[in-house]
Amino acid sequence: MVAGSDSSFSSATRPLVAMDKLVSLCAARGFIFASSEIYGGINGFWDYGPLGVELKNNLKALWWQRMVRERPDVVGIDTSIVAHPRTWEASGHVDNFSDPMVDCRACKKRFRADQLDDAGKCSSREGSSEHDLTEAKNFNLMLETQIGASADATQSAYLRPETCQSLFTGFKRVRESSRQKIPFGIAQVGKAFRNEITPRNFIFRSREFEQAEMEFFCHPSERDEWFEYWRAQRLQFHRDIGLNEGRIRNRPHESDELAHYANAAVDVDYEFPFGWQEIEGVHDRGDWDLSQHTKFSGKELAMTDEATKEKYTPMVIETSMGVDRTCLALLCDALDEETLEGGDTRTVMRFAPKVAPVKVAVLPLSKKLSESAHKIDAELRKRWNVFYDESGNIGRRYRRQDEVGTPYCVTVDFETEDDKKVTVRERDTMDQERVPLDGLDAYLHERLEAGS
Ligand code: ATP
């Protein structure tokens, strides 16, 4: 079942809240804030706080469950960020992984030439004034680093600009050691680095980010079927994590957009407040990567068909999800400002329970009740991420939980001791129900795990 279709957590199309509000809520509530903030931040780098890391971990766990655990034909790995530099020669990144860059002589700002319109106006956030621009020159986006302590042993290397190359370089080892047969896939989640010329739109385009990628190796005769299969699977995943159906779409690439080696590509786009943008790509990469690594390493990566004895290089269908971009889509999709009767505004993050950073808040009405509340809290923590809060007015405590998207609040009151019941308040409807303590776990389980 799709989480978004759960009746109490519906994802009706609502107007999106402006980005600046989302960005300040994320900082104020500890989802995401500028890296090294006390030094003024560093452009293109972000830190995930206590709530952000839970959101991101939930997303990665759902991806891993769907893409690796549930599939006998996909295995997961975790490889190093720094690879042998030849990897990036073979992949084409050393020669081709660049964006055209222009400098403005007047304002000294640097832009991507492909993000300026013909009149020389900057179409990005930086403004729309006329610019006196230099000629475009190519700027390689890989971040370089040095390995080794002594001067003569020092070697240049790159922080990987994508996680997938080690899925190709490890192809033979992983296939043989895990006894997989074609068709099968290798998956990983990890950090990637790109020296983006103009990082922008919060975590949408940053210089350090995470990808969740899977390379599926198949026989050339099956490539089209597998491409269509993975296209549909990946679109469904984004529905299943609760993204609003009306704000996600598949966008096939035009032939002039395709990488030179690609046969077909389709993006999963989300409609952000700043427009429709890619959050994931599904690509038919053909045999390009395995052939290139065979050429550069001298190691044979082709296969022999057991039945026909035909030798062939497997074709590759890639699914490449940006973890941070998908987190941003989840945040944009969830944030709602609701006008209540009487005119007050309630800020609510309407996350599907499976992605919500905190699942339950335990709120004793008074500090005098903290002993029994702590016991309930400790029980619930065995299973879920729980937040405990005993200070301040209960209405304000509910609002704080609404703002961070906690689906349920459990209130312990003076009757709890006698009737062994607590009040459970649901985030979206604000309905409250008395629930017996001995049935609380089952009550929450039924609601929190629905659709997972
Ligand atoms: P774009 O055209 O937006 O730069 P891309 O087509 O280069 O993206 P891919 O190389 O296909 O992106 O990477 C796969 C996924 O990784 C993207 O769909 C995106 O979600 C994520 N991604 C790529 N670059 C960044 C970045 N600078 N910051 C955050 N996520 C990124």
Side-chain angles (χ1 to χ4, degrees):
M1 199 183 97
V2 176
S5 68
D6 184 308
S7 57
S8 54
F9 294 100
S10 66
S11 59
T13 309
R14 298 178 297 270
L16 290 174
V17 175
M19 277 303 283
D20 55 347
K21 286 198 181 166
L22 178 73
V23 173
S24 49
L25 187 142
C26 280
R29 293 287 170 247
F31 279 96
I32 300 161
F33 39 86
S35 161
S36 31
E37 205 176 4
I38 59 168
Y39 291 102
I42 169 166
N43 197 7
F45 297 90
W46 297 94
D47 287 346
Y48 284 69
L51 294 172
V53 69
E54 292 290 339
L55 175 69
K56 183 150 86 152
N57 282 345
N58 289 342
L59 173 63
K60 290 192 285 187
L62 287 163
W63 187 90
W64 194 262
Q65 176 66 22
R66 179 70 60 87
M67 296 296 283
V68 182
R69 294 259 174 94
E70 287 174 15
R71 303 199 60 105
D73 58 352
V74 178
V75 289
I77 61 174
D78 180 24
T79 67
S80 65
I81 283 172
V82 174
H84 193 291
R86 293 276 284 165
T87 307
W88 309 109
E89 290 171 33
S91 68
H93 283 81
V94 170
D95 289 337
N96 300 320
F97 193 58
S98 52
D99 278 337
M101 178 181 78
V102 292
D103 288 319
C104 171
R105 292 191 187 91
C107 73
K108 307 288 178 219
K109 278 188 179 158
R110 188 156 269 190
F111 303 108
R112 260 173 67 172
D114 58 342
Q115 288 175 350
L116 302 170
D117 67 20
D118 290 338
K121 285 181 183 165
C122 177
S123 55
S124 64
R125 231 177 30 155
E126 280 81 5
S128 57
S129 57
E130 294 292 331
H131 290 282
D132 175 14
L133 302 173
T134 60
E135 286 292 299
K137 54 178 184 260
N138 277 337
F139 174 75
N140 194 296
L141 300 182
M142 282 199 291
L143 276 167
E144 224 172 321
T145 188
Q146 306 298 319
I147 305 171
S150 70
D152 48 353
T154 300
Q155 191 190 358
S156 281
Y158 299 103
L159 303 186
R160 64 184 177 197
E162 57 186 24
T163 59
C164 65
Q165 287 305 320
S166 45
L167 308 179
F168 301 123
T169 56
F171 165 70
K172 193 165 185 289
R173 164 75 64 199
V174 175
R175 180 176 59 78
E176 287 173 1
S177 58
S178 60
R179 309 192 62 222
Q180 287 287 341
K181 289 200 165 56
I182 301 286
F184 83 102
I186 311 179
Q188 98 164 310
V189 181
K191 289 262 179 165
F193 300 81
R194 296 184 188 179
N195 206 358
E196 297 280 358
I197 297 167
T198 44
R200 59 198 170 132
N201 289 331
F202 196 24
I203 53 169
F204 178 82
R205 184 175 302 288
S206 51
R207 290 177 168 143
E208 174 175 345
F209 55 96
E210 263 183 288
Q211 293 183 315
E213 295 197 293
M214 193 270 318
E215 306 298 329
F216 198 79
F217 303 90
C218 65
H219 188 274
S221 62
E222 295 181 342
R223 70 191 294 191
D224 294 343
E225 280 157 59
W226 280 114
F227 179 77
E228 174 48 29
Y229 172 84
W230 284 112
R231 181 204 64 72
Q233 283 286 316
R234 296 308 306 152
L235 186 63
Q236 187 58 38
F237 176 83
H238 293 281
R239 294 185 182 117
D240 290 350
I241 59 174
L243 289 182
N244 189 307
E245 178 76 48
R247 295 199 198 282
I248 43 177
R249 71 173 186 200
N250 263 154
R251 191 187 69 86
H253 282 208
E254 304 293 336
S255 51
D256 60 352
E257 277 181 90
L258 289 177
H260 63 92
Y261 49 81
N263 185 47
V266 58
D267 290 341
V268 179
D269 287 354
Y270 177 78
E271 191 183 16
F272 289 99
F274 45 90
W276 285 98
Q277 295 286 343
E278 168 184 345
I279 55 175
E280 170 153 0
V282 179
H283 306 123
D284 174 346
R285 299 176 69 112
D287 63 0
W288 198 77
D289 304 274
L290 289 184
S291 301
Q292 283 293 102
H293 287 301
T294 299
K295 198 158 108 194
F296 277 72
S297 69
K299 301 284 179 330
E300 184 58 85
L301 299 173
M303 310 278 305
T304 304
D305 188 301
E306 281 173 18
T308 63
K309 304 295 173 216
E310 165 215 11
K311 193 175 157 206
Y312 69 95
T313 303
M315 295 286 158
V316 172
I317 309 301
E318 170 182 271
T319 73
S320 175
M321 178 180 89
V323 174
D324 310 82
R325 283 190 189 180
T326 307
C327 279
L328 184 58
L330 286 168
L331 285 160
C332 290
D333 219 53
L335 182 57
D336 187 19
E337 288 182 337
E338 182 185 52
T339 309
L340 301 173
E341 272 174 44
D344 271 7
T345 304
R346 182 171 81 115
T347 302
V348 201
M349 280 282 192
R350 300 190 192 271
F351 293 122
K354 64 173 84 171
V355 296
V358 177
K359 310 291 186 208
V360 189
V362 176
L363 315 172
L365 264 193
S366 145
K367 285 184 184 161
K368 291 184 191 124
L369 298 162
S370 65
E371 200 183 320
S372 49
H374 274 306
K375 276 193 200 138
I376 297 169
D377 176 69
E379 264 318 296
L380 296 176
R381 269 173 204 276
K382 290 180 186 162
R383 203 197 276 254
W384 295 293
N385 191 35
V386 177
F387 189 81
Y388 182 88
D389 185 5
E390 61 179 22
S391 55
N393 159 309
I394 188 69
R396 235 173 275 138
R397 280 187 270 164
Y398 283 149
R399 292 297 167 81
R400 268 204 291 268
Q401 293 310 310
D402 291 342
E403 271 192 20
V404 301
T406 305
Y408 293 99
C409 290
V410 171
T411 309
V412 182
D413 57 31
F414 289 98
E415 276 146 50
T416 302
E417 306 263 288
D418 303 328
D419 69 358
K420 304 279 179 262
K421 285 183 181 167
V422 284
T423 300
V424 179
R425 173 196 183 262
E426 195 266 335
R427 179 194 69 203
D428 289 355
T429 57
M430 297 187 277
D431 285 348
Q432 303 193 6
E433 203 176 336
R434 268 324 256 180
V435 177
L437 269 177
D438 60 6
L440 182 61
D441 201 82
Y443 178 95
L444 292 171
H445 178 83
E446 192 186 313
R447 287 158 180 78
L448 288 170
E449 314 296 326
S452 48

